[in-house]
């Protein structure tokens, strides 16, 4: 391998078109829009520094990428799925049914989920999970009772929030970010407001109550975004009162347009994600078909390059873009080198 060089284009968020006719000696990758910019930077640098074609990286969301990944083994299927969440047991079962039995799970680092709004818009600068649940939950607590959510403005349930109409743009259900948002924000807020116990008092068990907590209102106040963060940014640009859900790295590259809110008093940053104090963070992954390593030129080289110190280390270009380096990166590197698969 030559010494790593990065062009300016490698630092842009790159997405390859799936409609182009491509030779199958290219590594094929699809999945998370959160992982997309990191994978694009690595793919660009890989093409410049190795004697293999530049990998083709597509977005589409974690669930969509894993669905394609699990379609089977062979040159007509993708080699890698990027994901902003762990692969689910049911997805592993689907993979196995279709012949994808040896899967390498590669954790690339950590990212935070942030809540941001127009830079010159209302003063959305501090939230707790209860605020987001009261704004977006399907049912909320009022006068000690669980009722349909009719809140219209943020200050109706928290006088410290702006006198502004509720309008939130949240990840669609095919995105891994949605699941983290549901678990670490909606469910946490549901518990904090007493709604979780109220659901249980209605006869639900813990699992059913958790599922109910994750339901969002369907009256137009919460809008699912099925595209990537650029679509959310566009919605915020045309809605002064809008609050959007973004990955930390995307926000940090758009601070001229957005301002970010603290969560439970903690500002999102690489430092607060690394030390665990920021409450809405998650690991990021990609998944490799081990069966393709011997068939697709450069596949293992790409996986090793991605998690190398040069790329994923604390001083590498991915950290410069916003990825929080994995404190156990050496273990990840060893697992990739030894082609360790999931049990």
């Amino acid at each position: 391998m030559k010494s790593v060089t990065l062009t300016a284009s490698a630092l842009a968020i790159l997405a390859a078109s799936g409609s182009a006719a491509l030779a199958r000696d290219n590594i094929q990758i699809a999945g998370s829009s959160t992982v997309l910019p990191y994978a694009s930077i690595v793919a660009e640098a890989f093409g410049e520094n190795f004697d293999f074609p530049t990998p083709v990286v597509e977005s589409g969301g974690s669930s969509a990428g894993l669905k394609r990944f699990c379609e089977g083994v062979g040159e007509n299927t993708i080699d890698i799925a990027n994901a902003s969440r762990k692969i689910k047991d049911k997805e592993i079962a689907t993979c196995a049914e279709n012949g994808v039995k040896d899967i390498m799970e590669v954790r690339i680092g950590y990212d935070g989920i942030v809540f941001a709004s127009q830079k010159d818009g209302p003063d959305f600068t501090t939230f707790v999970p209860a605020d987001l649940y009261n704004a977006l939950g399907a049912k909320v607590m009022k006068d000690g009772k669980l009722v349909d959510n009719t809140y219209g403005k943020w200050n109706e349930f928290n006088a410290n929030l702006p006198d502004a109409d509720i309008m939130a743009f949240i990840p669609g259900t095919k995105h891994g970010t949605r699941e983290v948002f549901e678990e670490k924000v909606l469910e946490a807020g549901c518990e904090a407001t007493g709604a979780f116990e109220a659901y249980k008092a209605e006869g639900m068990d813990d699992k059913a109550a958790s599922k109910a907590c994750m339901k969002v209102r369907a009256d137009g106040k919460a809008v699912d975004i099925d595209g990537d963060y650029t679509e959310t940014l566009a919605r915020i640009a045309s809605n002064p009162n809008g609050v959007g859900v973004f990955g930390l790295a995307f926000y940090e590259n758009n601070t001229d347009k957005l301002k970010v809110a603290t969560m439970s008093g903690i500002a999102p940053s690489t430092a607060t994600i690394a030390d665990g104090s920021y409450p809405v963070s998650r690991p990021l992954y990609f998944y490799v078909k081990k069966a393709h390593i011997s068939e697709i030129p450069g596949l293992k080289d790409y996986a090793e390059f991605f998690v190398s110190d040069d790329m994923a280390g604390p001083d590498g270009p991915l950290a410069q873009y916003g990825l929080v380096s994995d404190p156990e990166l050496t273990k990840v590197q060893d697992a990739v080198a030894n082609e360790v698969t999931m049990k």
Side-chain angles (χ1 to χ4, degrees), residues 187 191 196 204-215:
E187 189 171 4
E191 292 178 359
F196 179 79
M204 294 184 182
D205 60 18
D206 285 357
K207 184 176 181 180
S210 293
K211 187 174 181 180
C213 284
M214 295 178 189
K215 290 183 178 179

Side-chain angles (χ1 to χ4, degrees), residues 34 62 84 113 171 175-182 229 245 282:
T34 301
S62 299
S84 58
I113 295 173
H175 290 288
T177 304
R178 174 60 171 261
E179 296 184 23
V180 180
F181 170 72
E182 289 175 342
Y229 294 134
V245 179
R282 64 326 185 28

